[in-house]
Amino acid sequence: LGERFSPHDQVRPSMLSYQHAYHAGNFADVHKHLWLYATIEHLLRKNSAITFIDAHAGRGSYPLAAEETARLKEYQTGVKRLWDSRTETGKAGAQNPLLTTWLEAIDSVQPRPQQLTHYPGSPWWLGHRLRDQDRLTLFELHPGEHGHLARQSLAGEGQQANIRRVHGDGLAGLRSLLPVKTPRLCVLVDPSFERKSEYQEVAETMIHALGKVRHAVLLLWYPLLPAGRHQELLDRLRASGVRKLWRSEVILHPPGGASHGMYGSGMLVANPPWGVSDSMQATIADWLPLLGDAARHEQRWWVEE
Ligand code: SAM
């Protein structure tokens, strides 16, 4: 189960207040987990072993009726709209192959099939297809969140020994694991961005990781907020000389106006497997009408090959 890990830990658990349960299943989770799912599907087409690392794991599963999740009900405009569209002929979830299998995967974690009561977190998305040759390490710093993660099942029984759940800082933890023994590496970096300095720390860790494992597939999620801090992170990565960074952003409405909140969701993917961006283009185009008239998707190379 859990273990304590803090060799270079500069973040005290007491500094953490973010809890993902308040946002589970929202449009940003859908954006991030569709990318994660599509990427994993592509990587599993080859037999060679993969090390998966989730630097900011959160929980394996979020009950939608939990007090925190039920307070804001953000899942209603996220996963729930797609889920409901499955049965409406001609709608996104009924048509698009990636959306269909993604929703089937979500169905497989429901205690009662066909009833959406739970939403899986990234540890489950990374763990549920784990093969004998693959490894998964999950970092979670918040003691309460780590407690949930430690109790939750993420894979079939045979694969449990391949999963490590570490109570500690994910950025320091990621650095400590590199280089890895397997031929391939896939990393999710999904911080809560509670401290301004996190943008810089994330950029430096990604540059370090891609310096150690040049071919690593690294998925970074970032929020689009009116303050625009994500731009510093993206600019630092571009200036560093790392290659092959793909950028995908789902934008709900233009920044500003009355809302100071998140207006969009961003993914930066280093070394995206060939074909994933095309399948995400089609998938997000089918999902977009469910997000309102102003919603749009923009994707392109941030740094080319
Ligand atoms: N990756 C999850 C998913 O997609 O389902 C959601 C993760 S949530 C956005 C960020 C998580 O990172 C929170 O659970 C938070 O407690 C944890 N966290 C914050 N700082 C961390 C750090 N330095 N190292 C590891 N985990 C951290």
Side-chain angles (χ1 to χ4, degrees):
L1 286 181
E3 43 185 307
R4 184 72 195 147
F5 174 91
S6 56
H8 323 281
D9 195 343
Q10 295 176 337
V11 186
R12 293 190 310 280
S14 59
M15 291 167 78
L16 301 167
S17 61
Y18 179 90
Q19 280 190 296
H20 195 65
Y22 287 96
H23 311 288
N26 69 3
F27 83 100
D29 260 4
V30 172
H31 181 216
K32 168 179 62 187
H33 294 151
L34 279 170
W35 261 103
L36 192 58
Y37 177 78
T39 302
I40 295 168
E41 290 297 306
H42 272 72
L43 292 175
L44 293 182
R45 290 179 189 170
K46 290 190 187 144
N47 274 333
S48 69
I50 307 167
T51 296
F52 293 102
I53 298 173
D54 192 344
H56 306 83
R59 308 181 190 181
S61 171
Y62 297 91
L64 300 177
E67 201 186 324
E68 305 96 318
T69 314
R71 182 163 323 161
L72 303 171
K73 291 194 173 60
E74 290 188 8
Y75 65 86
Q76 286 192 338
T77 47
V79 65
K80 182 78 164 62
R81 279 198 191 154
L82 263 173
W83 177 270
D84 291 343
S85 79
R86 290 185 316 169
T87 46
E88 295 172 43
T89 317
K91 284 285 181 67
Q95 277 184 333
N96 182 288
L98 197 110
L99 285 176
T100 305
T101 53
W102 186 75
L103 288 163
E104 280 167 7
I106 294 175
D107 199 18
S108 76
V109 302
Q110 305 308 320
R112 289 193 209 90
Q114 307 296 325
Q115 291 183 38
L116 182 66
T117 56
H118 289 68
Y119 183 73
S122 56
W124 184 84
W125 288 108
L126 286 161
H128 81 293
R129 299 279 314 272
L130 218 58
R131 306 164 300 179
D132 286 348
Q133 63 268 41
D134 302 329
R135 298 286 175 272
L136 169 61
T137 303
L138 305 151
F139 293 96
E140 173 52 56
L141 190 58
H142 191 293
E145 297 303 279
H146 180 262
H148 281 284
L149 180 62
R151 289 190 292 276
Q152 289 170 333
S153 162
L154 307 171
E157 215 149 280
Q159 260 33 278
Q160 291 300 337
N162 295 0
I163 303 178
R164 269 195 341 139
R165 298 161 167 91
V166 182
H167 181 200
D169 177 35
L171 296 182
L174 168 60
R175 284 172 183 255
S176 76
L177 294 181
L178 303 179
V180 290
K181 294 199 182 89
T182 52
R184 294 186 292 160
L185 170 65
C186 174
V187 182
L188 175 67
V189 176
D190 183 18
S192 32
F193 294 106
E194 285 175 272
R195 295 169 294 110
K196 285 182 199 161
S197 58
E198 266 184 293
Y199 291 90
Q200 203 60 32
E201 291 161 16
V202 165
E204 298 310 326
T205 303
M206 284 182 65
I207 293 163
H208 175 85
L210 290 163
K212 287 267 181 192
V213 185
R214 242 166 250 290
H215 60 274
V217 177
L218 221 147
L219 300 107
L220 164 71
W221 180 85
Y222 55 88
L224 298 180
L225 292 160
R229 290 216 170 77
H230 63 280
Q231 199 56 47
E232 293 163 26
L233 195 171
L234 296 174
D235 289 343
R236 172 71 187 106
L237 284 167
R238 185 184 253 172
S240 75
V242 297
R243 316 299 306 163
K244 288 186 82 174
L245 298 175
W246 185 261
R247 183 175 172 182
S248 157
E249 291 180 350
V250 171
I251 298 154
L252 294 182
H253 52 77
S259 152
H260 297 290
M262 191 165 74
Y263 66 90
S265 159
M267 288 293 292
L268 194 76
V269 185
N271 300 308
W274 191 85
V276 176
S277 58
D278 283 350
S279 87
M280 288 306 293
Q281 182 68 32
T283 300
I284 295 180
D286 283 345
W287 168 40
L288 222 52
L290 300 181
L291 291 176
D293 292 342
R296 58 183 216 275
H297 177 222
E298 286 176 6
Q299 65 166 4
R300 63 191 157 98
W301 285 113
W302 179 239
V303 181
E304 286 186 58
E305 297 190 39

